Amino acid sequence: MFRRLKPQGQKIQIFFDDQEIEAIEGENLAAALLAADVTHFRSNPVSKQPRAPYCMMGACFECLVEIDGQSKQACMIEATVGLKVGTLKDISGVDDE
Amino acid sequence: MGSDYAIVGGGIVGLSVAYGLLNLGETVTIFDEGDLAFRASRGNFGLVWVQGKGMKQPAYAKWSRNSAALWKGYAQELEEATGQTLSLQQDGGYGYHLTEESLEQEIKDYTWLKEQLGGDYPFEVLRLNELKKEEPNVGTNFAGAVYHPEDGHVNSLQLFRALAKEVRRKGAKLVTSVTIQKVETAASGFRLTDDSGKVYESEKLVLSAGLGSMKLGPLLGFKAPIRPQRGQVMITEKIPKLMNRPSDTLRQVNEGGVQIGASAEEVDLDDRETPATLAKLAREAIQIFPDLAHVKTVRSWSALRIMSPDGLPIYQESLTCPGAFLVTCHSGITLSAAHARLLPLWMEGSHTAPELDPFGEDRFNV
Ligand SMILES: Cc1cc2nc3c(=O)[nH]c(=O)nc-3n(C[C@H](O)[C@H](O)[C@H](O)COP(=O)(O)OP(=O)(O)OC[C@H]3O[C@@H](n4cnc5c(N)ncnc54)[C@H](O)[C@@H]3O)c2cc1C
Ligand code: FES
């Protein structure tokens, strides 16, 4: 669905929910995931609706993913070799009704 | 020809009063300054709150309860008219206390207040074990809470939006991005002059300009002894339900974020944020809900409260310019229902108007 404007650069592997994805080193992580056809980044914890990046500039927090057990804005992070990214799990200790 | 009422200040207070006046069949023109103004209505906590109001002045406790009781019907009416959801929840709320001393003091104060009100003031004290039944996610490292069954919260930005939409639909004229610089009496009422020199006229005038009333009030014979008080607030990322009811420092909004606040700082007209204050708010929040330690804040902001010397609202008709009313308060969300339903009756001199003497300016005479 999304196409890179400038596909040059060092090809690397990253992981989304344990699935290997090809990215370009240093590119915007949210863009890399979108380019790999990941469109469901997380589910809204209240409405449970699927969510994906919206603003691509750090303002809307729709692009949150989990990295090293923490929620991070994918659009504010660069893709690096072997980066492990996952969909956000519910915050630990908080029951999900 | 002017309209019946000129309303100077289109914050939550001005819009609530405008809505009420329109319902009585009056015509209104609302003047508002625009984005550069200090606007408490855009930065508040969103509580419809009775707890803590009028701890030294039972009339204010009563007035807040009146408004809380009117809220449900008021919100329903606005929702039906505008198709917007206000997310009002009035299922009780807590005042958390970190230390036993502060809880004990609060119990004393509420006991006094209840006595003053002839026993008609509901509250309960919840120690940690009882609180845990209501709020399973609270921690163990604080004293407990005072529970007030009439407390609640609302999406105050949606309220603001709904009111703005509805007053327009009911025919209010909105003049925005103007600063009213001069207000004076004229042959048949009032004359207002804006910053471009443009002149407007009206029969009556409501001064609801928030902090702007400090300047305009004296022109109409009001004391308007108000001052800004800064409140800093932050909100977390959206999380699954963590808490069932709001408190005066923590509430989970309908979209899932947890709002944490608000500080009370005497810093004049300075609405900047300070990391140290935000950190303190966060620490106290974590003390009550330890899970919050894993949750990120996504935004913080600060806004200026409009405070009177005793914290009570001011409702005063000018003694020197009859027909001009000063309306200001530091709980404009809570009181929005009363301002819409009851204040206009007072302005119109109706015999069903509420008793507002305790909120007049003569209480500031020394
Ligand atoms: C941090 C914080 C938390 C709060 N939490 C709560 C809460 O939980 N519950 C609650 O009930 N209340 C709360 N409040 C208080 C509540 O927000 C205020 O009582 C309310 O917003 C006041 O509304 P207002 O219309 O009087 O003032 P404002 O919102 O300040 O509006 C005044 C308006 O007047 C206009 N104006 C000023 N001067 C002029 C002029 N010369 N010409 C034309 N227009 C002018 C401005 O443009 C502005 O829009 C909180 C406040 C703060 C700061
Ligand atoms: S897409 Fe909006 S913050 Fe990342």
Side-chain angles (χ1 to χ4, degrees):
Chain A
M1 197 164 50
F2 286 94
R3 202 162 35 81
R4 287 183 174 82
L5 290 175
K6 289 187 197 148
Q8 306 96 324
Q10 180 67 44
K11 289 204 171 125
I12 58 168
Q13 305 296 323
I14 62 172
F15 299 89
F16 185 75
D17 282 344
D18 295 329
Q19 214 190 318
E20 221 174 89
I21 283 174
E22 194 174 88
I24 290 174
E25 183 156 34
E27 77 180 335
N28 183 300
L29 176 61
L33 294 174
L34 288 171
D37 281 342
V38 175
T39 52
H40 181 173
F41 276 49
R42 65 182 183 103
S43 298
N44 179 293
V46 177
S47 67
K48 312 291 179 202
Q49 281 173 349
R51 283 291 192 271
Y54 177 65
C55 72
M56 293 297 283
M57 56 179 231
C60 72
F61 292 79
E62 293 293 7
C63 63
L64 290 176
V65 290
E66 190 169 304
I67 297 173
D68 289 336
Q70 298 226 16
S71 64
K72 294 261 163 80
Q73 288 158 281
C75 75
M76 295 279 101
I77 287 179
E78 291 183 359
T80 51
V81 177
L83 185 68
K84 288 197 166 63
V85 185
T87 27
L88 265 181
K89 302 189 192 40
D90 287 332
I91 281 90
S92 56
V94 180
D95 12 317
D96 183 4
E97 290 181 338
Chain B
M1 243 323 273
S3 61
D4 295 345
Y5 279 88
I7 299 188
V8 184
I12 212 75
V13 169
L15 291 182
S16 306
V17 170
Y19 177 76
L21 285 169
L22 289 161
N23 280 343
L24 292 182
E26 303 301 315
T27 54
V28 306
T29 305
I30 303 167
F31 300 88
D32 197 66
E33 229 180 340
D35 289 341
L36 291 178
F38 290 110
R39 279 171 154 168
S41 300
R42 296 203 185 275
N44 66 76
F45 208 66
L47 296 173
V48 175
W49 212 242
V50 174
Q51 218 176 119
K53 303 284 166 59
M55 298 299 277
K56 296 194 183 94
Q57 173 46 283
Y60 183 31
K62 246 183 170 161
W63 180 240
S64 301
R65 288 185 71 196
N66 277 349
S67 193
L70 291 170
W71 246 101
K72 196 167 165 228
Y74 173 60
Q76 233 163 28
E77 188 177 281
L78 275 173
E79 285 183 333
E80 272 161 28
T82 61
Q84 267 169 231
T85 318
L86 302 188
S87 302
L88 174 71
Q89 179 195 333
Q90 285 184 297
D91 171 37
Y94 311 106
Y96 292 118
H97 287 268
L98 298 181
T99 65
E100 193 58 38
E101 299 81 76
S102 96
L103 183 56
E104 285 301 331
Q105 184 57 48
E106 195 85 336
I107 296 169
K108 263 190 214 145
D109 292 347
Y110 281 119
T111 308
W112 177 86
L113 182 60
K114 187 168 184 150
E115 255 169 50
Q116 298 298 306
L117 290 166
D120 183 19
Y121 189 84
F123 75 93
E124 280 171 49
V125 179
L126 301 181
R127 305 277 168 186
L128 281 190
N129 50 345
E130 293 140 320
L131 184 59
K132 195 98 186 155
K133 287 181 211 146
E134 301 293 321
E135 296 291 341
N137 294 316
V138 292
T140 51
N141 188 21
F142 65 103
V146 172
Y147 167 76
H148 193 297
E150 293 163 342
D151 284 333
H153 58 164
V154 68
N155 186 323
S156 54
L157 290 176
Q158 292 287 22
L159 165 70
F160 202 21
R161 197 164 149 225
L163 275 174
K165 189 166 164 188
E166 189 54 10
V167 297
R168 275 195 179 88
R169 202 186 61 87
K170 285 190 188 299
K173 243 176 72 193
L174 267 80
V175 184
T176 54
S177 303
V178 297
T179 303
I180 297 299
Q181 276 179 331
K182 211 161 93 187
V183 277
E184 59 203 321
T185 46
S188 65
F190 296 91
R191 186 181 304 119
L192 300 82
T193 313
D194 74 15
D195 46 344
S196 69
K198 198 164 170 204
V199 172
Y200 312 83
E201 289 196 355
S202 72
E203 272 166 50
K204 294 181 177 181
L205 187 152
V206 177
L207 184 56
S208 52
L211 291 170
S213 298
M214 291 194 286
K215 238 195 232 155
L216 294 177
L219 303 180
L220 292 165
F222 296 113
K223 297 191 180 77
I226 47 177
R227 66 173 201 280
Q229 185 193 62
R230 184 168 72 190
Q232 301 189 49
V233 183
M234 67 192 116
I235 190 153
T236 71
E237 58 189 310
K238 298 173 177 69
I239 59 171
K241 195 167 194 152
L242 178 69
M243 52 191 79
N244 293 317
R245 297 195 180 98
S247 81
D248 55 351
T249 53
L250 278 165
R251 73 179 188 102
Q252 188 161 17
V253 305
N254 57 304
E255 293 103 344
V258 175
Q259 205 171 282
I260 303 171
S263 59
E265 305 160 81
E266 302 294 333
V267 289
D268 245 335
L269 291 171
D270 173 356
D271 67 351
R272 285 173 298 185
E273 293 144 56
T274 57
T277 300
L278 290 169
K280 181 168 178 278
L281 291 173
R283 264 196 308 277
E284 290 176 0
I286 291 168
Q287 198 172 339
I288 296 166
F289 284 94
D291 290 322
L292 286 174
H294 310 287
V295 180
K296 283 216 173 58
T297 55
V298 297
R299 248 180 278 286
S300 64
W301 65 89
S302 107
L304 300 176
R305 296 185 185 84
I306 300 132
M307 291 299 283
S308 64
D310 55 9
L312 271 59
I314 303 175
Y315 306 129
Q316 176 72 48
E317 178 167 6
S318 172
L319 299 174
T320 53
C321 317
F325 302 88
L326 172 64
V327 179
T328 184
C329 70
H330 99 92
S331 281
I333 307 304
T334 306
L335 296 177
S336 176
H339 290 170
R341 294 277 203 250
L342 304 176
L343 275 196
L345 298 172
W346 163 68
M347 291 165 178
E348 285 294 290
S350 159
H351 66 279
T352 54
E355 155 66 40
L356 294 175
D357 288 351
F359 307 114
E361 283 200 326
D362 53 5
R363 70 185 198 264
F364 305 120
N365 293 338
V366 264

